């Protein structure tokens, strides 16, 4: 997959769902054959990955809620999630 | 036993053992549950609710053929409404676009379609019925509704040489994932082991083909390839540990720590008709017998790999050594590894006839 750019629009891969599990009190990523528990940072990013928002916009949006959000950090999180086959982008 | 069990993540719901196919590698037990003994809709709804309450996030609707149950839409809908990821594990027979659309409306997340061979001749021979064209139709319906699709192929001696064509077929079907998994030797698969066990040469020929395709299709179709574990030096991490992540509920309500666990005749199984799912998960003898590491014998006990493979498969240990608490004999460190080597050395030059799975009830 191409490296993630400022204007890339990430979304969850087909078949992957993000949901909140009240039993474990955490966000979970559900796949055909497994479950992943994203850390708080990853969960915050994933909630904004709607296939329309760009990385720049996602970074700006996160900046409203958290201090010191850098675009490089968002790119790093998304790259890691892509390696785990959670997200893809165009 | 002092083990802190975590809530389960997944439930394999074997809604029925009825199936239109007769695959000789079927992992269902030889003694199939008859229709009379299947749980009712209300009983399954209760199981699904209990499972979600317990922490289950993934429900695999399986069987047999889950579409053989007319109440499948209701069960899918309830599991999805409760927030579960619902996966349909199907032969594809009976999966019309209309039926699928209804399941999708009710929240179905994913379809897992079995394929028996790369062409109709092979596929129909292994399935024991003319099933192949129905599968092509089912795959088209899945893609038309833009649903994620996993194609699931059980590999064995009769079809192992078809891996390249099977990969091409899965690509044609538009699969997001392809599982190429060698037969697991339980139930009907164990009965047919000498006919199904691939040869070392077949494995050697398939490996570079699968490796190249995995790389080529990295971004479009994930390939999961599982070699026959008898050929491996270490056992599979069966269930990621006994009573650790997943449970299976059989058509009559028995609750199993592993889909093949009814083969362990020394294991006392509990049933959701007489005990709650949570009580079975946390407190039953069956689930606690091999949970954690306290049960482990040598060489597992002192082995650095015990956190990787958890001692391997309890069912395989029982079926081959008579002791479900033994190290999986597949392991090269197991004192029983000789059993596996003897079986592999005895792989016949010409495979015997396959014994097809006999169904107790005909499914239209």
């Amino acid at each position: 997959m191409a490296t993630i750019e400022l204007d890339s629009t990430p979304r969850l891969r087909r078949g992957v769902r993000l949901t909140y599990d009240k039993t474990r009190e955490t966000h979970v990523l559900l796949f055909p054959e497994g479950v992943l528990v994203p850390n708080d940072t990853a969960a915050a990013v994933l909630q904004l990955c709607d296939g329309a928002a760009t990385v720049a916009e996602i970074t700006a949006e996160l900046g409203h809620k958290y201090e010191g959000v850098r675009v490089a950090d968002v790119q790093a999180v998304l790259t890691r999630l892509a390696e785990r086959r959670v997200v893809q982008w165009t | 036993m002092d083990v802190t069990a975590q809530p389960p993540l997944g439930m394999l719901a074997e809604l029925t053992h009825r199936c239109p196919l007769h695959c000789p590698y079927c992992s269902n037990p030889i003694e199939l549950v008859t229709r009379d003994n299947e749980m009712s809709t209300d009983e399954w709804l209760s199981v699904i609710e209990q499972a979600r309450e317990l922490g289950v996030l993934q429900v695999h609707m399986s069987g047999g053929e889950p579409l053989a149950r007319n109440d499948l839409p209701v069960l899918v809908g309830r599991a999805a409404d409760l927030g579960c990821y619902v996966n349909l594990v199907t032969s594809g027979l009976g999966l019309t676009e209309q039926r699928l659309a209804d399941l999708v409306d009710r929240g179905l997340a994913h379809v897992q379609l079995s394929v028996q061979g790369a062409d109709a001749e092979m596929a129909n021979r292994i399935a024991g019925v003319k099933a192949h064209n129905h599968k092509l139709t089912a795959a088209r319906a899945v893609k038309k509704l833009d649903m994620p699709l996993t194609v699931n192929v059980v590999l064995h001696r009769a079809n192992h040489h078809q891996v390249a064509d099977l990969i091409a077929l899965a690509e044609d079907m538009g699969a997001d994932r392809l599982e190429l998994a060698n037969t697991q030797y339980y139930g009907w698969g164990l009965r047919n082991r000498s006919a199904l066990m691939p040869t070392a040469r077949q494995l050697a020929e398939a490996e570079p083909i699968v490796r190249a395709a995995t790389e080529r299709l990295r971004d479009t179709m994930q390939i999961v390839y599982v070699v026959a574990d008898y050929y491996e030096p270490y056992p599979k991490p069966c269930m990621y540990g006994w009573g650790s992540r997943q449970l299976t509920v059989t058509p009559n309500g028995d609750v199993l720590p592993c889909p093949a666990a009814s083969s362990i005749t020394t294991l006392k199984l509990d049933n959701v008709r007489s005990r709650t799912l949570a009580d079975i998960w946390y407190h039953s003898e069956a689930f606690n017998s091999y949970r954690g590491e306290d049960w482990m014998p040598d060489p597992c006990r002192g082995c650095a790999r015990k956190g990787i493979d958890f001692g391997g498969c309890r069912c395989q240990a029982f079926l081959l050594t008579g002791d479900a608490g033994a190290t999986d004999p597949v392991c090269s460190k197991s004192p029983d590894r000789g059993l596996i080597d003897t079986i592999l050395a005895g792989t016949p030059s010409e495979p015997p006839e396959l014994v097809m799975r006999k169904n107790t009830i005909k499914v239209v």
Side-chain angles (χ1 to χ4, degrees):
Chain A
M1 188 177 293
T3 43
I4 190 150
E5 307 292 345
L6 276 180
D7 60 354
S8 299
T9 51
R11 59 185 155 78
L12 293 183
R13 219 174 225 285
R14 286 166 50 77
V16 181
R17 292 186 182 186
L18 177 70
T19 183
Y20 187 80
D21 175 25
K22 62 178 169 53
T23 309
R24 297 171 182 82
E25 298 183 328
T26 179
H27 280 93
V28 285
L29 282 160
L30 307 177
F31 296 80
E33 291 297 323
V35 178
L36 271 181
V37 179
N39 62 29
D40 292 346
T41 311
V45 173
L46 285 166
Q47 287 175 78
L48 299 172
C49 293
D50 59 5
T54 64
V55 171
E57 287 163 350
I58 290 169
T59 307
E61 180 68 28
L62 288 169
H64 296 312
K65 282 171 74 181
Y66 308 98
E67 276 184 39
V69 179
R70 297 184 310 161
V71 80
D73 296 336
V74 174
Q75 284 171 314
V77 166
L78 287 167
T79 302
R80 232 179 21 249
L81 290 166
E83 284 162 4
R84 302 291 296 267
R85 306 187 70 86
V86 171
V87 293
Q88 54 190 177
W89 50 76
T90 43
Chain B
M1 179 165 293
D2 185 27
V3 176
T4 311
Q6 297 297 309
L9 289 165
M11 173 169 73
L12 180 67
E14 290 184 347
L15 300 179
T16 176
H17 278 160
R18 288 175 284 145
C19 187
L21 307 191
H22 302 274
C23 306
Y25 56 70
C26 185
S27 62
N28 282 165
I30 304 281
E31 292 295 326
L32 298 164
V33 172
T34 60
R35 185 175 195 156
D36 303 347
N37 290 314
E38 287 179 11
M39 286 197 288
S40 68
T41 304
D42 283 345
E43 285 173 313
W44 272 112
L45 288 172
S46 166
V47 167
I48 289 164
E49 284 159 11
Q50 289 184 57
R52 183 66 199 91
E53 193 59 34
L54 187 54
V56 164
L57 288 164
Q58 276 183 314
V59 177
H60 306 280
M61 299 289 187
S62 182
E65 173 51 64
L67 289 162
R69 295 242 349 179
N70 293 330
D71 55 1
L72 180 66
V74 177
L75 304 180
V76 166
R78 182 65 59 90
D81 287 348
L82 292 171
C84 290
Y85 189 97
V86 186
N87 180 22
L88 177 67
V89 185
T90 179
S91 68
L93 273 68
L95 189 63
T96 60
E97 194 181 320
Q98 189 182 5
R99 271 188 105 173
L100 182 60
D102 177 43
L103 294 173
V104 173
D105 276 348
R106 293 169 188 261
L108 183 71
H110 182 265
V111 177
Q112 193 168 322
L113 177 67
S114 73
V115 165
Q116 278 68 35
D119 53 63
E121 188 189 344
M122 174 68 73
N124 294 343
R125 176 159 85 83
I126 301 302
V129 292
K130 289 184 178 166
H132 194 64
N133 284 337
H134 292 289
K135 288 164 189 282
L136 301 180
T137 306
R140 277 194 294 273
V142 173
K143 294 325 286 183
K144 191 169 174 189
L145 293 170
D146 199 28
M147 285 290 283
L149 172 67
T150 292
V151 169
N152 200 329
V153 184
V154 174
L155 292 175
H156 45 76
R157 185 165 180 172
N159 70 2
H160 215 291
H161 63 285
Q162 292 193 322
V163 281
D165 292 337
L166 286 162
I167 291 165
L169 174 62
E171 278 186 80
D172 283 349
M173 285 177 158
D176 301 279
R177 295 174 75 248
L178 168 62
E179 287 189 7
L180 294 167
N182 257 278
T183 305
Q184 309 247 10
Y185 298 106
Y186 310 104
W188 297 84
L190 181 62
R191 172 180 277 196
N192 283 297
R193 184 177 60 198
S194 62
L196 294 170
M197 184 68 71
T199 63
R201 184 175 167 181
Q202 285 183 307
L203 295 181
E205 286 172 355
E207 197 275 336
I209 296 170
V210 176
R211 184 155 37 91
T214 304
E215 183 56 36
R216 177 173 62 83
L217 299 166
R218 178 175 294 280
D219 287 337
T220 51
M221 184 173 82
Q222 181 187 14
I223 299 178
V224 179
Y225 180 53
V226 183
V227 177
D229 65 349
Y230 282 41
Y231 280 99
E232 300 274 17
Y234 297 112
K236 56 183 175 266
C238 193
M239 309 308 293
Y240 297 99
W242 185 268
S244 160
R245 296 190 189 180
Q246 185 163 311
L247 54 86
T248 295
V249 181
T250 69
N252 64 342
D254 282 349
V255 186
L256 312 178
C258 163
S262 62
S263 63
I264 305 177
T265 52
T266 52
L267 197 68
K268 181 184 168 296
L269 294 175
D270 285 282
N271 190 289
V272 279
R273 283 167 157 162
S274 53
R275 202 170 169 183
T276 66
L277 205 57
D279 193 32
I280 295 172
W281 175 260
Y282 286 110
H283 305 301
S284 71
E285 186 186 316
F287 275 81
N288 282 315
S289 288
Y290 308 108
R291 199 171 242 157
E293 296 178 350
D294 287 356
W295 63 272
M296 287 184 180
D298 288 321
C300 297
R301 187 177 288 275
C303 181
R305 292 184 57 88
K306 68 180 175 185
I308 298 171
D309 58 36
F310 314 101
C313 178
R314 299 304 86 230
C315 306
Q316 187 146 279
F318 179 79
L319 289 167
L320 298 183
T321 75
D323 177 6
T327 296
D328 188 330
V330 157
C331 185
S332 51
K333 296 179 180 178
S334 161
D336 300 308
R337 172 68 207 193
L339 294 169
I340 300 287
D341 293 330
T342 304
I343 290 164
L344 290 180
T347 302
S349 52
E350 286 299 319
E353 284 288 304
L354 292 165
V355 180
M356 304 303 280
R357 174 184 142 148
K358 289 175 195 63
N359 293 326
T360 50
I361 288 165
K362 205 166 172 63
V363 179
V364 181

